Amino acid sequence: MEPSGPLNVGSIARLCKNFGVSELRLVSPKCNVTDKNAQLMAVKGGIFLTKAKIYSSLINAIGDCPRVIATSGRIDHGNIPLLEPENAINWFLDSSDGSAVALVFGREDSGLTNQELLLAQKVVTLKTIKNYRSLNLSHAVAIVLHEIHRCEEMKSNTDSILAPKVDPALPLELNNCIEEAEKLLLEIGFLYKHTSKARISKIRALLQRSEICPSEVAMIRGIVSQVRWALDEGKSSTD
Amino acid sequence: MEPSGPLNVGSIARLCKNFGVSELRLVSPKCNVTDKNAQLMAVKGGIFLTKAKIYSSLINAIGDCPRVIATSGRIDHGNIPLLEPENAINWFLDSSDGSAVALVFGREDSGLTNQELLLAQKVVTLKTIKNYRSLNLSHAVAIVLHEIHRCEEMKSNTDSILAPKVDPALPLELNNCIEEAEKLLLEIGFLYKHTSKARISKIRALLQRSEICPSEVAMIRGIVSQVRWALDEGKSSTD
């Protein structure tokens, strides 16, 4: 999300190669990601720079990934629970074969906002010593990718899958569903324009925590449209 | 051991600060370790650069450390066993209080020689994908320091709760809330008497999975009663 240092982006490209990442996606990068310094740091990962996809919003960048982990080093993460990498990663690795998973890293200076964190089902934080928590961006990427690799190896050693897991709903699907609900809740006066953001965040946090699946998203959309229909019925009978 | 990149040395200084390392020791550095680029990367770890001790041989640099772990990414390590970081680190952490322990990292291009590896009791290797094993030096340092921190935390195994946990809502509270919602959903025709049980079970499962808390239950009750109010408004205007 909005990286500003070409050295960092180049280093991350190298890490993508080191750890077998399939794609590097950048949201509104604040630097030239193919400049000389980036290429220099990327070494054999240079292809990730030239093939990097650029997006203008996070939701579009992760739109096709049912499982999303965001990272946060900020203290003011509100009620969003922060997990140890290992816990989130094991969930990540349960993904059904072939479906894309996304790891989201924030800006060098300010990380990800709480709104952005809420686009992920899980948020991890990396433990450092308390009085200097700010890791360099590419070091955070290195640690998380290595953790994934480590957990993958552990898993393949002791694989005991009990039941096929259902992937959560796609971020874009859930986002559309929440937007529809928000619109309705504004119309009926449950939400007010100036405070809706905070309340909608609570609903989003609740649904992310439950790892809501596609059929459940469809159910909520069904409720929203049925409420809307009932309201219209009431109105039309006044005509 | 003989680092040649000021950016790397600066990055490592920052990591020393992030992970509470007590001292950075450099053996025959091939670059100016206090140059502008190194300082830039070090950010708040700059003190590790200015206070770094310089040695002319590895044995002198680790001379006062009873426990030494070296790192290797090379394939030709002969008979020297390579360990997973976790195994070596737990041994490392058994060190008696106050005695220094050392972590040794090699040159950017060629790592540590087998002779150098043999100065350590344990040698660890970091797993990457097989066809691009070469990690950037500072990324290897980041991963190992994070592993140490992780193992330390597991060892001390105090509360690893990062966000204050809220107790889930009481079963009766949640049940009342769901019953109210069910009544409304029946009235507006989203549910039908003979099939409502199955659908309500789905909603219940979703909310249970999220460990819904009292304030969220209150929020859902608020939505239900606001929808009901909006419906009544529509009806009353027909009166």
Side-chain angles (χ1 to χ4, degrees):
Chain A
M1 185 78 199
E2 299 184 359
S4 59
L7 294 172
N8 280 337
V9 180
S11 292
I12 292 166
R14 179 172 180 177
L15 288 164
C16 288
K17 180 81 178 168
N18 286 140
F19 291 105
V21 169
S22 53
E23 206 173 59
L24 177 60
R25 297 180 177 186
L26 301 166
V27 181
S28 308
K30 301 299 175 206
C31 60
N32 176 3
V33 300
T34 53
D35 91 352
K36 216 183 59 186
N37 284 323
Q39 290 287 356
L40 205 72
M41 295 307 281
V43 196
K44 293 194 186 168
I47 186 97
F48 284 89
L49 295 178
T50 47
K51 288 205 166 177
K53 286 191 189 154
I54 311 285
Y55 295 82
S56 58
S57 72
L58 179 56
I59 186 70
N60 286 328
I62 61 175
D64 59 342
C65 306
R67 293 183 192 229
V68 182
I69 295 182
T71 53
S72 176
R74 290 188 303 110
I75 315 165
D76 52 338
H77 52 88
N79 292 322
I80 300 169
L82 302 184
L83 303 174
E84 307 275 346
E86 195 167 333
N87 297 330
I89 287 166
N90 282 321
W91 164 82
F92 206 58
L93 296 175
D94 282 337
S95 170
S96 55
D97 266 359
S99 73
V101 292
L103 272 177
V104 187
F105 294 88
R107 303 152 188 87
E108 283 94 337
D109 52 353
S110 58
L112 294 165
T113 66
N114 286 353
Q115 286 304 311
E116 288 160 354
L117 293 180
L118 282 171
L119 296 178
Q121 290 102 348
K122 311 261 180 196
V123 180
V124 303
T125 191
L126 299 176
K127 289 244 180 96
T128 57
I129 60 162
K130 290 205 177 69
N131 64 1
Y132 189 38
R133 304 217 33 172
S134 167
L135 282 167
N136 168 285
L137 171 60
S138 78
H139 293 147
V141 175
I143 291 167
V144 173
L145 290 179
H146 175 263
E147 277 287 289
I148 292 177
H149 212 68
R150 192 178 66 78
C151 291
E152 241 175 349
E153 297 255 330
M154 271 174 35
K155 213 179 164 67
S156 64
N157 287 341
T158 58
D159 226 342
S160 61
I161 294 166
L162 297 167
K165 269 235 168 184
V166 177
D167 271 337
L170 290 173
L172 206 57
E173 258 177 68
L174 177 59
N175 204 50
N176 290 341
C177 166
I178 291 173
E179 279 177 7
E180 276 171 31
E182 182 176 15
K183 211 165 144 245
L184 176 73
L185 293 174
L186 280 165
E187 282 170 35
I188 64 166
F190 177 76
L191 297 176
Y192 300 99
K193 262 262 172 299
H194 59 290
T195 54
S196 84
K197 210 173 157 189
R199 288 203 123 174
I200 280 294
S201 292
K202 282 190 183 165
I203 293 175
R204 196 185 283 275
L206 172 72
L207 298 180
Q208 289 289 29
R209 221 163 59 224
S210 71
E211 295 173 30
I212 187 165
C213 73
S215 70
E216 291 166 336
V217 167
M219 182 174 65
I220 291 179
R221 290 181 97 150
I223 293 174
V224 169
S225 63
Q226 191 72 23
V227 168
R228 193 178 288 288
W229 176 86
L231 289 168
D232 287 347
E233 276 294 286
K235 272 188 205 130
S236 69
S237 60
T238 65
D239 295 343
Chain B
M1 186 79 200
E2 298 183 359
S4 60
L7 294 172
N8 279 337
V9 179
S11 291
I12 292 166
R14 179 173 180 177
L15 288 164
C16 289
K17 180 81 178 169
N18 286 139
F19 291 105
V21 169
S22 51
E23 209 174 57
L24 177 60
R25 298 180 177 185
L26 301 165
V27 181
S28 307
K30 302 299 176 205
C31 61
N32 176 4
V33 300
T34 54
D35 91 351
K36 215 183 60 186
N37 284 324
Q39 289 287 354
L40 206 72
M41 295 307 280
V43 196
K44 293 194 186 168
I47 186 99
F48 283 90
L49 295 177
T50 48
K51 287 205 166 175
K53 286 191 189 155
I54 311 287
Y55 295 82
S56 59
S57 72
L58 179 56
I59 188 67
N60 286 330
I62 60 175
D64 60 342
C65 305
R67 292 182 193 229
V68 182
I69 294 181
T71 53
S72 176
R74 289 188 304 111
I75 316 165
D76 52 338
H77 50 88
N79 293 323
I80 300 168
L82 301 185
L83 303 174
E84 306 274 344
E86 198 167 330
N87 298 330
I89 287 165
N90 282 321
W91 162 83
F92 205 59
L93 295 175
D94 283 338
S95 168
S96 56
D97 264 359
S99 72
V101 292
L103 272 177
V104 186
F105 294 88
R107 304 153 189 85
E108 283 95 337
D109 51 355
S110 58
L112 294 164
T113 65
N114 285 355
Q115 285 306 307
E116 289 160 353
L117 292 180
L118 285 170
L119 295 179
Q121 290 103 342
K122 311 260 180 195
V123 180
V124 303
T125 191
L126 299 176
K127 290 243 177 92
T128 57
I129 59 162
K130 290 204 176 69
N131 64 1
Y132 188 40
R133 305 218 32 171
S134 168
L135 282 167
N136 167 286
L137 171 59
S138 77
H139 292 147
V141 175
I143 292 166
V144 173
L145 290 179
H146 176 262
E147 277 288 289
I148 292 178
H149 211 68
R150 192 178 64 79
C151 291
E152 242 175 348
E153 296 256 328
M154 269 172 38
K155 220 177 160 71
S156 66
N157 210 9
T158 47
D159 267 339
S160 66
I161 293 164
L162 296 167
K165 265 236 167 182
V166 178
D167 270 339
L170 291 173
L172 203 58
E173 258 177 74
L174 178 59
N175 204 51
N176 290 341
C177 166
I178 290 173
E179 279 178 7
E180 275 170 34
E182 184 176 13
K183 211 165 145 243
L184 176 73
L185 294 173
L186 280 163
E187 281 170 37
I188 65 168
F190 177 77
L191 297 176
Y192 300 100
K193 264 261 174 297
H194 59 290
T195 55
S196 85
K197 212 175 157 186
R199 287 201 125 176
I200 280 293
S201 293
K202 282 190 184 163
I203 293 175
R204 196 184 285 278
L206 172 70
L207 298 180
Q208 290 290 29
R209 220 163 59 225
S210 71
E211 293 175 31
I212 187 166
C213 72
S215 71
E216 291 166 337
V217 168
M219 183 173 66
I220 291 179
R221 292 181 95 150
I223 292 174
V224 169
S225 64
Q226 191 72 24
V227 168
R228 191 176 289 287
W229 175 87
L231 289 167
D232 286 348
E233 276 293 285
K235 273 187 206 132
S236 68
S237 59
T238 65
D239 296 342

